[in-house]
Amino acid sequence: MTRSLIPPTSLARTHLSNMTFVSNDPILWPAIDFQLLLSYWIVAAGVVVVYDWVLTVGQEIELIWRQHWSLMTVLYLVIRYIGIPFSVANALAIMPLVSLTDAVSDILKYVINWTNMVMAAMLGVIMIARLHAMYQRSRTMLLFLVIIFLAVNIACAVLGVIALKHMVAEELILTGIHMCGYDYEGDVQLLTSMVWMLNTVWEVLALCLSVWIAAKHFRDLRRLGPSTGSTIGDCFKVLMKSHVLYFLSFAGVSCFQLIYLSPGVSNSDSIGFMILNGIITVFTVVQMFVLGPRLILSVREYHANLVAGSDADTSMNSIVFQEHVQISTSGTV
């Protein structure tokens, strides 16, 4: 989730400087078009974040603010409310009509990239919490997940720091249009590809673990007999919606990003590449600031409905993957 470590290829240069770059060369017009189109996608991604917050603010008040605080509460609020200022900073860094000095461009570079890294770590914590709950709070599974998580995130942080040291943000003035560009030396794209490959390994692992335990729960419930048919349907529907699809979406975005970073694609100036880049931009922002909060809300809403229903079948408890929070309709769960 450190996509912005790589600048648009058409605006990147391979020497380091801190001087404003000015050019009226027509060969750079495709770069201007690329930047304009990308800025539209980034604004669209910010609109999606704000729109999703508006849609879920009622659930947030009921399921987050009115409940006892927990680790998931803190993660929800941080991820949700960093999304809007992050989208603004991202738009300022890429929008051609906004003039930024070299110093401001460099600050935005660090803010955007370090926010990506912190969000990746926080979303990883949510993944660990959900998988730990899905595996009936197995200490062995928790230890395994924490070791893999720490190894991946420490490696990604080191690679990210090295890449950022070889990049300098600067102001570009191309045909009178102000842009934020990058100078870099060394193989920054290789470092970023390695970050994304490590993230993809982690997210595919989480997906495989969630699919396996979902299938196991489904088989166990089927063996209980036809009397639990409706329970199986309800539980499996919630499981697929709130967990497996969550992990699947993360793995999918990472796979798309690897395609984007491949040399044959990243060096292209075609319309298809621009559209792919824009789609990945939107999906990455949604991944960081929408999916995590949505998962927490869906699990809490399902559990609140479960404890509120006096006729709920007790067999459903085996597949309710809820962290310990206080629900106003019941006791501690």
Side-chain angles (χ1 to χ4, degrees), residues 115-128:
T115 300
N116 284 336
M117 294 184 200
V118 172
M119 290 300 101
M122 296 182 73
L123 291 170
V125 172
I126 294 177
M127 282 187 172
I128 291 175

Side-chain angles (χ1 to χ4, degrees), residues 62-70 73 300 303-304 307 322-333:
E62 182 65 30
L63 301 173
I64 301 296
W65 292 104
R66 293 182 179 176
Q67 308 302 327
H68 285 203
W69 282 49
S70 67
T73 303
R300 287 197 172 188
H303 194 271
V307 298
Q322 171 69 21
E323 80 276 5
H324 289 289
V325 294
Q326 188 84 5
I327 301 294
S328 58
T329 55
S330 180
T332 303
V333 295

Side-chain angles (χ1 to χ4, degrees), residues 2-3 5-6 163 188-196 261:
T2 50
R3 179 192 156 278
L5 283 174
I6 284 292
V188 176
Q189 186 166 355
L190 175 61
L191 294 174
T192 307
S193 298
M194 292 172 65
V195 170
W196 271 97
L261 291 175

Side-chain angles (χ1 to χ4, degrees), residues 107-172:
I107 291 172
L108 286 177
K109 177 196 71 175
Y110 281 102
V111 168
I112 291 171
N113 284 286
W114 280 110
T115 300
N116 284 336
M117 294 184 200
V118 172
M119 290 300 101
M122 296 182 73
L123 291 170
V125 172
I126 294 177
M127 282 187 172
I128 291 175
R130 302 321 313 146
L131 286 170
H132 183 219
M134 292 171 76
Y135 279 82
Q136 305 298 317
R137 304 193 177 278
S138 166
R139 291 186 178 181
T140 302
M141 178 56 66
L142 177 61
L143 181 62
F144 171 74
L145 292 172
V146 169
I147 291 174
I148 300 297
F149 170 77
L150 290 176
V152 168
N153 279 270
I154 290 173
C156 288
V158 172
L159 292 171
V161 169
I162 295 173
L164 287 174
K165 284 184 177 180
H166 289 84
M167 289 175 55
V168 175
E170 64 175 356
E171 182 184 11
L172 306 179

Side-chain angles (χ1 to χ4, degrees), residues 22-325:
V22 182
S23 176
N24 294 317
D25 193 339
I27 199 174
L28 294 175
W29 289 352
I32 298 174
D33 293 337
F34 179 92
Q35 202 87 338
L36 283 170
L37 182 59
L38 183 59
S39 67
Y40 298 150
W41 284 104
I42 289 176
V43 171
V47 170
V48 171
V49 172
V50 174
Y51 180 68
D52 183 73
W53 174 76
V54 172
L55 288 179
T56 59
V57 66
Q59 290 177 296
E60 178 183 312
I61 293 173
E62 182 65 30
L63 301 173
I64 301 296
W65 292 104
R66 293 182 179 176
Q67 308 302 327
H68 285 203
W69 282 49
S70 67
L71 175 61
M72 290 297 110
T73 303
V74 175
L75 290 175
Y76 175 93
L77 294 174
V78 172
I79 293 172
R80 174 62 86 186
Y81 287 98
I82 283 182
I84 296 175
F86 173 88
S87 299
V88 173
N90 212 10
L92 289 175
I94 202 71
M95 194 169 292
L97 301 180
V98 178
S99 177
L100 300 175
T101 64
D102 291 352
V104 173
S105 297
D106 212 41
I107 291 172
L108 286 177
K109 177 196 71 175
Y110 281 102
V111 168
I112 291 171
N113 284 286
W114 280 110
T115 300
N116 284 336
M117 294 184 200
V118 172
M119 290 300 101
M122 296 182 73
L123 291 170
V125 172
I126 294 177
M127 282 187 172
I128 291 175
R130 302 321 313 146
L131 286 170
H132 183 219
M134 292 171 76
Y135 279 82
Q136 305 298 317
R137 304 193 177 278
S138 166
R139 291 186 178 181
T140 302
M141 178 56 66
L142 177 61
L143 181 62
F144 171 74
L145 292 172
V146 169
I147 291 174
I148 300 297
F149 170 77
L150 290 176
V152 168
N153 279 270
I154 290 173
C156 288
V158 172
L159 292 171
V161 169
I162 295 173
L164 287 174
K165 284 184 177 180
H166 289 84
M167 289 175 55
V168 175
E170 64 175 356
E171 182 184 11
L172 306 179
I173 304 178
L174 307 180
T175 319
I177 299 177
H178 293 263
M179 297 183 182
C180 180
Y182 298 87
D183 288 338
Y184 64 90
E185 64 179 10
D187 205 340
V188 176
Q189 186 166 355
L190 175 61
L191 294 174
T192 307
S193 298
M194 292 172 65
V195 170
W196 271 97
M197 284 188 282
L198 288 171
N199 278 324
T200 302
V201 169
W202 162 251
E203 288 159 5
V204 170
L205 174 64
L207 173 62
C208 293
L209 290 173
S210 65
V211 170
W212 186 87
I213 197 64
K216 181 178 182 296
H217 275 292
F218 184 63
R219 290 195 304 268
D220 291 344
L221 284 174
R222 289 195 65 177
R223 284 197 292 268
L224 294 177
S227 62
T228 60
S230 61
T231 299
I232 293 173
D234 292 341
C235 291
F236 200 66
K237 180 180 178 181
V238 171
L239 177 63
M240 291 296 296
K241 179 180 178 181
S242 63
H243 288 77
V244 176
L245 291 180
Y246 174 77
F247 296 122
L248 178 62
S249 63
F250 269 71
V253 171
S254 290
C255 291
F256 272 114
Q257 184 65 33
L258 289 177
I259 295 173
Y260 167 79
L261 291 175
S262 62
V265 176
S266 61
N267 294 326
S268 173
D269 290 324
S270 66
I271 295 297
F273 167 72
M274 294 182 183
I275 294 175
L276 174 64
N277 183 72
I279 292 174
I280 291 176
T281 297
V282 175
F283 282 178
T284 302
V285 172
V286 169
Q287 180 191 56
M288 288 194 296
F289 303 114
V290 174
L291 294 183
R294 280 278 183 172
L295 174 64
I296 295 173
L297 287 177
S298 66
V299 173
R300 287 197 172 188
E301 182 179 34
Y302 174 71
H303 194 271
N305 292 336
L306 180 63
V307 298
S310 58
D311 58 344
D313 194 300
T314 56
S315 64
M316 296 177 75
N317 291 330
S318 66
I319 206 166
V320 174
F321 309 122
Q322 171 69 21
E323 80 276 5
H324 289 289
V325 294

